[in-house]
């Protein structure tokens, strides 16, 4: 029987006891994990802008190109089968 590889605990270093409060960083860390604060508005605006650009690129530009290529391949296959008969 093979031994399962050692997986370090997310709550403390291997061989050390678990942390008393898992929401606080380990010794030497800075601040509580809950105190990260809100995302700055400029990052949120950039995220939504990039998401909108990606949606337009995919659904408006790339999808019709893909459908056109699939349609051309479908027509070529139908014509090829018709010639064989």
């Amino acid at each position: 029987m093979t031994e399962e590889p050692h997986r370090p605990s997310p709550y403390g270093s291997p061989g050390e006891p678990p942390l008393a409060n898992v929401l606080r960083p380990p010794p030497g860390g800075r601040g509580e994990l809950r105190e990260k604060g809100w995302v700055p508005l400029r990052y949120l605006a950039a995220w939504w802008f990039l998401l909108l650009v990606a949606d337009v690129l995919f659904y408006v530009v790339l999808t019709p190109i893909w459908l056109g290529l699939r349609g051309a391949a479908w027509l070529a296959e139908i014509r090829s089968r018709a010639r064989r008969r």
Side-chain angles (χ1 to χ4, degrees):
M1 182 177 242
T2 61
E3 229 179 273
E4 193 173 311
H6 175 71
R7 295 184 194 157
S9 168
Y11 304 114
S13 297
E16 293 183 3
L19 299 174
N21 183 351
V22 297
L23 293 177
R24 291 187 184 270
R30 296 188 332 240
E32 285 194 16
L33 297 178
R34 292 177 291 184
E35 294 178 356
K36 287 185 176 181
W38 293 95
V39 173
L41 187 58
R42 65 183 180 271
Y43 293 142
L44 195 59
W47 167 258
W48 283 107
F49 175 74
L50 290 174
L51 189 63
L52 179 69
V53 168
D55 281 350
V56 168
L57 177 68
F58 182 77
Y59 289 110
V60 177
V61 177
L62 296 178
T63 300
I65 292 171
W66 181 79
L67 288 173
L69 289 172
R70 293 304 310 147
W74 180 69
L75 284 174
E77 184 179 352
I78 288 176
R79 288 180 182 169
S80 172
R81 288 183 183 191
R83 280 189 210 136
R84 281 191 241 156
R85 289 182 187 182

